[in-house]
Amino acid sequence: MSEHRQRRTDVIQHVAFEHAGVIADVVRDRGHEIRLFQAGVDDLTLVASDPADLLVVLGGPIGVYETEAYPWLEVEINVIRQRLEAELPMLGACLGAQLIAAAAGARVYPGTREIGWAPITPTPAGLSSPLAALASADWEVLHWHGDTFDLPAGAELLASTDATPHQAYAIGKQVLALQFHPEVKPGDIETWLIGHTVELSKAGIDPRTIRRRTAEIGATVASAGELMFARWMEEAGL
Protein backbone atom coordinates (compact mmCIF):
# COMPACT_ATOMS: atom_id res chain seq x y z
CA MET A 1 0.00 0.00 0.00
CA SER A 2 1.11 3.56 -0.67
CA GLU A 3 1.56 4.44 3.00
CA HIS A 4 4.29 1.80 3.24
CA ARG A 5 6.24 3.13 0.25
CA GLN A 6 9.90 3.78 0.98
CA ARG A 7 10.44 7.52 1.21
CA ARG A 8 13.28 8.85 -0.91
CA THR A 9 15.50 11.90 -1.12
CA ASP A 10 17.24 12.72 -4.39
CA VAL A 11 20.57 14.53 -4.05
CA ILE A 12 22.22 16.44 -6.90
CA GLN A 13 25.95 16.75 -6.21
CA HIS A 14 28.34 18.89 -8.26
CA VAL A 15 31.71 18.00 -6.70
CA ALA A 16 32.39 14.92 -4.59
CA PHE A 17 33.63 16.70 -1.47
CA GLU A 18 30.58 18.99 -1.29
CA HIS A 19 28.25 16.18 -0.27
CA ALA A 20 25.04 16.17 1.75
CA GLY A 21 26.78 15.87 5.13
CA VAL A 22 24.36 16.33 8.01
CA ILE A 23 21.43 16.57 5.57
CA ALA A 24 22.07 12.94 4.64
CA ASP A 25 22.08 11.98 8.33
CA VAL A 26 18.75 13.75 8.90
CA VAL A 27 16.95 12.29 5.90
CA ARG A 28 18.13 8.78 6.77
CA ASP A 29 17.03 9.26 10.38
CA ARG A 30 13.60 10.16 9.02
CA GLY A 31 13.39 6.95 7.02
CA HIS A 32 14.45 8.16 3.58
CA GLU A 33 16.70 6.30 1.19
CA ILE A 34 19.05 8.49 -0.86
CA ARG A 35 19.41 8.45 -4.63
CA LEU A 36 22.54 10.35 -5.67
CA PHE A 37 22.95 12.16 -8.99
CA GLN A 38 26.31 13.51 -10.13
CA ALA A 39 25.62 16.67 -12.13
CA GLY A 40 27.14 16.62 -15.59
CA VAL A 41 27.42 12.82 -15.52
CA ASP A 42 24.06 11.32 -14.55
CA ASP A 43 20.73 11.80 -16.32
CA LEU A 44 19.06 14.56 -14.30
CA THR A 45 15.78 14.22 -16.16
CA LEU A 46 15.07 11.23 -13.88
CA VAL A 47 14.78 13.71 -11.02
CA ALA A 48 11.67 15.11 -12.71
CA SER A 49 10.26 11.97 -14.33
CA ASP A 50 10.54 9.93 -11.11
CA PRO A 51 10.28 12.59 -8.39
CA ALA A 52 11.41 11.84 -4.86
CA ASP A 53 9.76 13.10 -1.68
CA LEU A 54 12.61 15.61 -1.32
CA LEU A 55 15.23 17.04 -3.68
CA VAL A 56 18.51 18.36 -2.26
CA VAL A 57 20.67 20.50 -4.58
CA LEU A 58 24.20 20.96 -3.29
CA GLY A 59 27.05 23.41 -3.89
CA GLY A 60 29.84 23.67 -6.43
CA PRO A 61 32.41 26.09 -7.83
CA ILE A 62 30.69 26.95 -11.13
CA GLY A 63 28.26 29.76 -11.89
CA VAL A 64 24.59 29.26 -12.73
CA TYR A 65 25.09 31.56 -15.74
CA GLU A 66 27.91 29.43 -17.25
CA THR A 67 25.48 27.46 -19.40
CA GLU A 68 27.59 27.69 -22.57
CA ALA A 69 30.57 26.09 -20.85
CA TYR A 70 28.39 23.65 -18.86
CA PRO A 71 25.26 23.01 -20.96
CA TRP A 72 23.84 20.45 -18.52
CA LEU A 73 23.09 23.38 -16.21
CA GLU A 74 20.08 24.17 -18.40
CA VAL A 75 18.75 20.64 -17.83
CA GLU A 76 19.28 20.99 -14.08
CA ILE A 77 17.52 24.37 -13.94
CA ASN A 78 14.61 22.97 -15.93
CA VAL A 79 14.31 19.98 -13.58
CA ILE A 80 14.28 22.34 -10.59
CA ARG A 81 11.71 24.57 -12.31
CA GLN A 82 9.40 21.60 -12.82
CA ARG A 83 9.70 20.75 -9.15
CA LEU A 84 8.90 24.33 -8.15
CA GLU A 85 5.83 24.32 -10.38
CA ALA A 86 4.69 21.06 -8.77
CA GLU A 87 5.28 22.61 -5.30
CA LEU A 88 7.40 19.64 -4.20
CA PRO A 89 9.88 19.93 -1.28
CA MET A 90 13.39 21.09 -2.07
CA LEU A 91 16.55 22.10 -0.18
CA GLY A 92 19.34 24.12 -1.78
CA ALA A 93 22.83 24.90 -0.46
CA CYS A 94 25.03 27.60 -2.04
CA LEU A 95 25.00 26.79 -5.79
CA GLY A 96 21.80 24.88 -5.04
CA ALA A 97 20.16 28.04 -3.67
CA GLN A 98 21.33 29.96 -6.74
CA LEU A 99 19.95 27.29 -9.10
CA ILE A 100 16.58 27.38 -7.33
CA ALA A 101 16.55 31.18 -7.61
CA ALA A 102 17.34 30.95 -11.34
CA ALA A 103 14.63 28.32 -11.86
CA ALA A 104 12.19 30.67 -10.10
CA GLY A 105 13.04 33.43 -12.57
CA ALA A 106 15.50 35.45 -10.47
CA ARG A 107 18.85 36.79 -11.64
CA VAL A 108 22.09 35.12 -10.47
CA TYR A 109 25.32 37.08 -10.86
CA PRO A 110 28.82 37.62 -9.40
CA GLY A 111 28.74 39.10 -5.90
CA THR A 112 31.10 39.63 -2.99
CA ARG A 113 33.31 36.66 -2.21
CA GLU A 114 32.75 35.24 1.27
CA ILE A 115 34.88 32.29 2.38
CA GLY A 116 35.23 31.06 5.95
CA TRP A 117 33.31 31.06 9.21
CA ALA A 118 31.18 34.14 9.91
CA PRO A 119 27.73 34.92 11.32
CA ILE A 120 24.55 35.58 9.41
CA THR A 121 21.84 37.96 10.60
CA PRO A 122 18.35 36.45 10.67
CA THR A 123 15.31 38.43 9.59
CA PRO A 124 12.15 38.35 11.77
CA ALA A 125 10.87 35.64 9.43
CA GLY A 126 14.12 33.73 9.90
CA LEU A 127 13.77 33.89 13.67
CA SER A 128 10.39 32.16 13.44
CA SER A 129 11.61 29.58 10.91
CA PRO A 130 13.70 26.39 11.33
CA LEU A 131 16.76 28.64 10.89
CA ALA A 132 16.27 29.62 14.54
CA ALA A 133 18.15 26.41 15.41
CA LEU A 134 21.34 28.19 14.30
CA ALA A 135 21.04 30.53 17.29
CA SER A 136 22.69 27.79 19.36
CA ALA A 137 25.83 28.37 17.24
CA ASP A 138 25.53 32.17 17.56
CA TRP A 139 24.39 32.21 13.91
CA GLU A 140 27.91 31.40 12.74
CA VAL A 141 28.09 29.33 9.55
CA LEU A 142 30.55 28.33 6.84
CA HIS A 143 30.51 30.61 3.79
CA TRP A 144 32.06 29.61 0.48
CA HIS A 145 30.69 31.60 -2.44
CA GLY A 146 31.39 34.37 -4.92
CA ASP A 147 27.99 34.65 -6.61
CA THR A 148 24.69 35.97 -5.36
CA PHE A 149 21.10 36.28 -6.59
CA ASP A 150 18.01 38.44 -6.51
CA LEU A 151 15.27 37.21 -4.22
CA PRO A 152 12.78 35.16 -6.24
CA ALA A 153 9.23 36.45 -6.53
CA GLY A 154 7.12 35.10 -3.69
CA ALA A 155 10.15 34.11 -1.61
CA GLU A 156 10.61 35.15 2.01
CA LEU A 157 14.04 36.39 3.08
CA LEU A 158 15.33 34.56 6.16
CA ALA A 159 18.90 35.83 6.68
CA SER A 160 21.53 38.25 5.40
CA THR A 161 25.11 39.42 5.79
CA ASP A 162 26.41 42.91 5.06
CA ALA A 163 28.19 41.62 1.95
CA THR A 164 25.37 39.35 0.76
CA PRO A 165 21.83 40.55 1.57
CA HIS A 166 20.23 37.33 0.34
CA GLN A 167 21.74 34.55 2.46
CA ALA A 168 18.65 32.37 2.96
CA TYR A 169 15.10 32.29 1.71
CA ALA A 170 12.00 30.15 1.80
CA ILE A 171 9.27 29.60 -0.75
CA GLY A 172 6.29 28.47 1.30
CA LYS A 173 6.96 25.44 3.48
CA GLN A 174 8.32 23.39 0.60
CA VAL A 175 11.56 25.21 -0.30
CA LEU A 176 14.50 26.20 1.90
CA ALA A 177 17.47 27.75 0.11
CA LEU A 178 20.73 28.64 1.88
CA GLN A 179 23.68 30.55 0.43
CA PHE A 180 25.91 29.15 3.19
CA HIS A 181 26.90 25.60 4.19
CA PRO A 182 25.40 24.30 7.46
CA GLU A 183 25.53 20.77 6.04
CA VAL A 184 29.31 20.45 6.43
CA LYS A 185 30.70 18.04 9.00
CA PRO A 186 33.87 19.32 10.68
CA GLY A 187 35.77 16.14 9.85
CA ASP A 188 35.28 16.86 6.15
CA ILE A 189 36.77 20.36 6.11
CA GLU A 190 40.15 19.13 4.90
CA THR A 191 38.56 17.91 1.66
CA TRP A 192 37.23 21.44 1.11
CA LEU A 193 40.64 22.97 1.77
CA ILE A 194 42.23 20.57 -0.72
CA GLY A 195 39.49 20.86 -3.34
CA HIS A 196 39.39 24.66 -3.22
CA THR A 197 43.13 25.24 -2.84
CA VAL A 198 43.38 27.35 -6.02
CA GLU A 199 40.44 29.54 -4.98
CA LEU A 200 41.87 29.99 -1.47
CA SER A 201 45.25 30.98 -2.90
CA LYS A 202 43.72 33.49 -5.32
CA ALA A 203 41.63 34.98 -2.50
CA GLY A 204 44.65 35.24 -0.21
CA ILE A 205 43.03 33.04 2.44
CA ASP A 206 45.25 30.88 4.66
CA PRO A 207 43.67 27.42 5.00
CA ARG A 208 45.02 27.23 8.54
CA THR A 209 42.59 29.98 9.56
CA ILE A 210 39.57 27.98 8.38
CA ARG A 211 40.97 24.74 9.83
CA ARG A 212 41.52 26.37 13.22
CA ARG A 213 38.04 27.88 13.40
CA THR A 214 36.47 24.62 12.27
CA ALA A 215 38.13 22.86 15.18
CA GLU A 216 36.63 25.46 17.52
CA ILE A 217 33.03 25.62 16.33
CA GLY A 218 32.50 23.11 13.52
CA ALA A 219 30.81 20.47 15.66
CA THR A 220 28.48 23.01 17.27
CA VAL A 221 27.42 24.40 13.89
CA ALA A 222 26.89 20.90 12.47
CA SER A 223 24.63 20.01 15.41
CA ALA A 224 22.66 23.22 14.93
CA GLY A 225 22.39 22.51 11.22
CA GLU A 226 21.14 19.00 11.88
CA LEU A 227 18.40 20.37 14.14
CA MET A 228 17.48 23.02 11.58
CA PHE A 229 17.11 20.49 8.75
CA ALA A 230 15.10 18.13 10.98
CA ARG A 231 12.71 20.93 11.94
CA TRP A 232 12.34 22.00 8.34
CA MET A 233 11.57 18.44 7.21
CA GLU A 234 8.97 18.13 9.93
CA GLU A 235 7.29 21.36 8.86
CA ALA A 236 7.42 20.25 5.23
CA GLY A 237 5.68 16.99 6.13
CA LEU A 238 8.69 14.83 5.38
Side-chain angles (χ1 to χ4, degrees), residues 123-126 128-129 151-159 168-172 175-177:
T123 64
S128 60
S129 79
L151 197 65
E156 187 170 43
L157 183 64
L158 302 180
Y169 65 89
I171 302 175
V175 175
L176 177 63

Side-chain angles (χ1 to χ4, degrees), residues 42 54 146 148 161 176 190 233:
D42 296 326
L54 170 63
T148 189
T161 60
L176 177 63
E190 207 64 33
M233 288 188 70

Side-chain angles (χ1 to χ4, degrees), residues 43-122:
D43 181 4
L44 296 183
T45 63
L46 292 173
V47 175
S49 63
D50 180 23
D53 300 271
L54 170 63
L55 174 62
V56 177
V57 188
L58 297 172
I62 62 176
V64 168
Y65 41 80
E66 295 183 276
T67 52
E68 288 190 14
Y70 303 98
W72 49 264
L73 278 167
E74 293 184 353
V75 177
E76 185 172 6
I77 292 168
N78 188 52
V79 162
I80 292 169
R81 184 181 298 114
Q82 291 178 59
R83 197 165 177 96
L84 284 170
E85 291 170 351
E87 298 185 352
L88 294 173
M90 195 159 28
L91 278 171
C94 201
L95 174 60
Q98 297 162 14
L99 285 162
I100 294 171
R107 186 171 64 108
V108 181
Y109 49 94
T112 302
R113 186 182 303 277
E114 291 180 292
I115 298 177
W117 295 95
I120 55 172
T121 301

Side-chain angles (χ1 to χ4, degrees):
M1 295 178 66
S2 60
E3 60 265 33
H4 299 304
R5 181 181 62 84
Q6 173 71 56
R7 290 186 292 179
R8 190 180 79 234
T9 289
D10 283 350
V11 174
I12 300 178
Q13 184 173 288
H14 300 90
V15 287
F17 61 87
E18 293 197 32
H19 56 77
V22 301
I23 301 175
D25 293 342
V26 171
V27 299
R28 289 191 181 106
D29 285 347
R30 297 185 69 85
H32 289 227
E33 63 179 3
I34 293 175
R35 184 171 65 168
L36 180 64
F37 291 85
Q38 186 65 53
V41 177
D42 296 326
D43 181 4
L44 296 183
T45 63
L46 292 173
V47 175
S49 63
D50 180 23
D53 300 271
L54 170 63
L55 174 62
V56 177
V57 188
L58 297 172
I62 62 176
V64 168
Y65 41 80
E66 295 183 276
T67 52
E68 288 190 14
Y70 303 98
W72 49 264
L73 278 167
E74 293 184 353
V75 177
E76 185 172 6
I77 292 168
N78 188 52
V79 162
I80 292 169
R81 184 181 298 114
Q82 291 178 59
R83 197 165 177 96
L84 284 170
E85 291 170 351
E87 298 185 352
L88 294 173
M90 195 159 28
L91 278 171
C94 201
L95 174 60
Q98 297 162 14
L99 285 162
I100 294 171
R107 186 171 64 108
V108 181
Y109 49 94
T112 302
R113 186 182 303 277
E114 291 180 292
I115 298 177
W117 295 95
I120 55 172
T121 301
T123 64
L127 286 170
S128 60
S129 79
L131 252 71
L134 298 177
S136 62
D138 294 328
W139 299 98
E140 196 155 356
V141 295
L142 181 64
H143 300 267
W144 214 299
H145 69 95
D147 288 347
T148 189
F149 49 84
D150 293 336
L151 197 65
E156 187 170 43
L157 183 64
L158 302 180
S160 303
T161 60
D162 288 342
T164 306
H166 301 152
Q167 280 282 354
Y169 65 89
I171 302 175
K173 295 289 186 185
Q174 75 272 19
V175 175
L176 177 63
L178 310 170
Q179 181 59 75
F180 47 93
H181 290 278
E183 81 280 6
V184 178
K185 295 183 176 182
D188 292 332
I189 196 65
E190 207 64 33
T191 64
W192 286 63
L193 300 179
I194 295 167
H196 287 305
T197 181
V198 174
E199 183 180 26
L200 289 172
S201 178
K202 286 183 176 179
I205 296 171
D206 189 334
R208 291 172 292 186
T209 303
I210 297 175
R211 184 184 297 120
R212 188 180 308 117
R213 190 59 178 152
T214 303
E216 293 169 351
I217 66 165
T220 299
V221 178
S223 294
E226 189 169 352
L227 181 58
M228 175 187 66
F229 291 124
R231 287 180 178 174
W232 179 82
M233 288 188 70
E234 188 170 348
E235 288 190 6
L238 297 165

